[in-house]
Amino acid sequence: MLPMEILISVAKINKYASPESGDTVEVIERPNGGMSVVLADGQSSGRGAKQISNLVVRKVISLLSEGVRDGAAARAASDSLFTERKGKVSSTLNILSVDMQTSTLVITRNNPAPVVIATDEQIRLLDEDCKPIGLYRDTRPLISELPLEAGLTIVMFTDGLVHAGTRYGEAMDFITCLQAIIEDENPHPQEIADSLLAHALQLDEGRPVDDISVVVLQVTSQEGDNVRRMTVRLPLA
Amino acid sequence: MLPMEILISVAKINKYASPESGDTVEVIERPNGGMSVVLADGQSSGRGAKQISNLVVRKVISLLSEGVRDGAAARAASDSLFTERKGKVSSTLNILSVDMQTSTLVITRNNPAPVVIATDEQIRLLDEDCKPIGLYRDTRPLISELPLEAGLTIVMFTDGLVHAGTRYGEAMDFITCLQAIIEDENPHPQEIADSLLAHALQLDEGRPVDDISVVVLQVTSQEGDNVRRMTVRLPLA
């Protein structure tokens, strides 16, 4: 395996005038090597939605950090939410993992919003029908596994991105938008996430109708040193 | 309160020729607003040390995400490690939290290595004697609380940074080093973390004698939008 590196970037904004986002995103180290990004969007918005998505993400990262496989962690989070809220509250859930045991990217979806896979040749969607968690017993995620190869870009998001602009009769065409961004020379995943979010904000006329979170993961050939790095920016409005 | 923003950056490298770092760092959202960075360095190095630091960080973030206070989470992690390993294994632990309930920065230390606090006027050290966790019953952390104000920079690290160069008869003077870095105009926390790590690597002649992790947190007045951002870089050697 040629030396590679993983870059993961997140851009996230609250629904307009909402002090809290109903979306939760966390990135954690996997106990057997690699990282996982866990993204949940709790039903409705504000404080209640935040509690739900926080509960779901907490459950999933706690299981992943014990070495539980992604699919089992997603099923456990669903059962747990179903039990706690008696099937009355739903949440979307995405897990995106770089699994060093299998040298694969594992994409777990319990989210009607698609996940985008871009390679040097093409852009394709994972958009088979799937259910959010919490409403039914035995809700299962859709799982896709890809070999870990330089040149892969994965984009996942909450439905705030999908539905941007609908209030004003416009729709987010994220494939065209993504194509335009990645035609530039080697955009950093933070630029990709920021550009998609900026486009959605523009469609919502600067006042996001829903919480929006965008996660972009890139696999590239390694350029530079062996230092792990992380940067987080948190505006305190 | 004037709009502020928090920037947190991490730079982390393994001991030379060691496939795994005994240090673990995770950043998580606090359930009542704000973020926490949890840093642990397990005794010895490699796989065993990784398991320890992973156990400690997992325990702490799980408690923090339930709303447990930082000091109580540190004590719980110590009792838990003491019980599990019968007092035979130690780990350092630092928690650095932006607590939006109290509008403070909370610095929790169970790590003999100091934490550096830099303001526009001065650089000072939190270096009162304290014990790593896991060796004794009732190990308590040292806790410092500072008002959340623009202009604050906090630097915390594992002992790989403190001891860099000792094999070659040189010592890391991180205060002088930090002073030189922050004299430049508004360095980004990632530049500060990278520069400190680069200096340590140089003292270790490019082959780090121990795992090294550096965390830098900055409070600044808000410049720019309300988007939360995160970027992670993971080299797969």
Side-chain angles (χ1 to χ4, degrees):
Chain A
M1 194 165 84
L2 282 173
M4 291 186 287
E5 64 182 56
I6 307 291
L7 293 169
I8 301 168
S9 292
V10 179
K12 190 164 179 279
I13 198 161
N14 297 3
K15 177 178 171 172
Y16 179 68
S18 176
E20 276 202 279
S21 171
D23 296 352
T24 298
V25 189
E26 300 281 7
V27 178
I28 61 148
E29 215 178 300
R30 293 173 73 82
N32 299 306
M35 316 275 300
S36 291
V37 192
V38 184
L39 169 66
D41 177 4
Q43 190 176 326
S44 83
S45 64
R47 185 98 199 127
K50 182 69 199 177
Q51 280 176 347
I52 297 300
S53 64
N54 190 44
L55 181 85
V56 168
V57 170
R58 210 166 75 199
K59 185 79 192 169
V60 172
I61 65 177
S62 151
L63 291 168
L64 294 180
S65 70
E66 288 168 13
V68 172
R69 292 168 59 108
D70 297 27
R75 288 201 297 280
S78 184
D79 290 347
S80 173
L81 180 59
F82 179 83
T83 305
E84 186 140 331
R85 299 297 175 114
K86 301 184 174 61
K88 289 181 182 150
V89 176
S90 73
S91 173
T92 68
L93 170 65
N94 287 94
I95 311 173
L96 181 52
S97 295
V98 176
D99 184 338
M100 295 312 291
Q101 279 186 303
T102 54
S103 291
T104 56
L105 263 174
V106 183
I107 304 166
T108 302
R109 283 177 63 224
N110 275 118
N111 183 356
V115 169
V116 188
I117 302 176
T119 62
D120 295 338
E121 289 87 39
Q122 57 160 353
I123 295 182
R124 67 190 178 95
L125 291 184
L126 296 177
D127 59 357
E128 306 98 294
D129 201 30
C130 66
K131 288 196 169 53
I133 65 171
L135 294 181
Y136 306 98
R137 249 179 238 290
D138 291 327
T139 298
R140 286 166 178 275
L142 291 178
I143 298 182
S144 310
E145 211 167 342
L146 306 171
L148 209 52
E149 284 171 350
L152 260 183
T153 301
I154 312 287
V155 185
M156 67 182 191
F157 36 80
T158 52
D159 66 353
L161 189 79
V162 180
H163 298 137
T166 43
R167 174 172 293 180
Y168 305 98
E170 284 201 80
M172 176 86 187
D173 179 354
F174 45 81
I175 298 221
T176 309
C177 188
L178 184 62
Q179 251 159 351
I181 301 163
I182 63 182
E183 262 170 23
D184 283 352
E185 211 176 307
N186 296 327
H188 188 282
Q190 189 71 66
E191 290 171 58
I192 300 176
D194 283 353
S195 300
L196 285 169
L197 183 61
H199 189 67
L201 277 176
Q202 200 186 332
L203 291 176
D204 274 341
E205 306 199 342
R207 298 179 169 195
V209 175
D210 194 0
D211 309 310
I212 306 177
S213 304
V214 185
V215 176
V216 180
L217 183 148
Q218 250 180 13
V219 189
T220 63
S221 48
Q222 193 180 328
E223 285 159 20
D225 56 27
N226 282 315
V227 179
R228 281 192 187 200
R229 294 190 174 83
M230 169 160 53
T231 283
V232 179
R233 172 183 191 259
L234 174 69
L236 308 176
Chain B
M1 194 164 84
L2 280 174
M4 292 186 287
E5 64 182 56
I6 307 292
L7 293 169
I8 301 168
S9 291
V10 179
K12 189 163 179 280
I13 199 162
N14 297 3
K15 176 178 171 174
Y16 179 68
S18 176
E20 276 202 279
S21 171
D23 296 352
T24 299
V25 189
E26 300 280 7
V27 178
I28 60 147
E29 215 178 298
R30 294 173 72 84
N32 299 308
M35 316 275 300
S36 291
V37 193
V38 184
L39 169 66
D41 177 4
Q43 191 176 327
S44 84
S45 66
R47 185 96 199 129
K50 182 69 200 176
Q51 280 176 347
I52 298 301
S53 64
N54 191 44
L55 181 86
V56 168
V57 170
R58 210 167 76 200
K59 185 79 191 169
V60 172
I61 64 177
S62 151
L63 291 168
L64 294 181
S65 70
E66 288 168 14
V68 172
R69 292 168 60 108
D70 298 27
R75 289 201 298 278
S78 184
D79 290 347
S80 173
L81 181 59
F82 178 82
T83 305
E84 188 142 331
R85 301 296 175 115
K86 301 184 172 63
K88 289 181 180 148
V89 176
S90 72
S91 173
T92 68
L93 171 65
N94 287 93
I95 311 173
L96 181 52
S97 296
V98 176
D99 184 338
M100 294 311 291
Q101 280 187 302
T102 54
S103 291
T104 56
L105 264 174
V106 183
I107 304 166
T108 302
R109 284 177 62 223
N110 275 119
N111 184 356
V115 169
V116 188
I117 301 175
T119 61
D120 295 338
E121 289 87 39
Q122 57 160 353
I123 295 183
R124 66 190 181 93
L125 291 184
L126 295 177
D127 60 356
E128 305 97 293
D129 202 29
C130 66
K131 287 196 171 51
I133 66 171
L135 295 180
Y136 306 98
R137 248 180 237 290
D138 292 325
T139 298
R140 283 165 181 276
L142 291 178
I143 299 182
S144 310
E145 211 165 345
L146 307 172
L148 208 53
E149 284 172 351
L152 260 183
T153 301
I154 312 287
V155 186
M156 68 182 192
F157 36 80
T158 53
D159 65 353
L161 189 81
V162 180
H163 298 137
T166 43
R167 173 173 291 179
Y168 305 98
E170 285 200 79
M172 176 87 188
D173 180 354
F174 46 80
I175 298 222
T176 309
C177 188
L178 185 63
Q179 251 160 351
I181 301 162
I182 61 181
E183 263 170 23
D184 282 352
E185 212 177 307
N186 296 327
H188 189 281
Q190 189 71 65
E191 290 173 57
I192 300 177
D194 283 352
S195 300
L196 285 170
L197 183 60
H199 189 67
L201 277 176
Q202 200 186 331
L203 291 176
D204 275 341
E205 306 198 343
R207 297 179 170 197
V209 174
D210 194 0
D211 309 310
I212 306 177
S213 304
V214 185
V215 177
V216 179
L217 183 148
Q218 251 179 12
V219 189
T220 63
S221 47
Q222 193 180 328
E223 286 159 19
D225 56 27
N226 282 315
V227 179
R228 282 192 185 201
R229 293 191 175 82
M230 169 160 52
T231 282
V232 179
R233 174 183 188 259
L234 173 69
L236 308 176

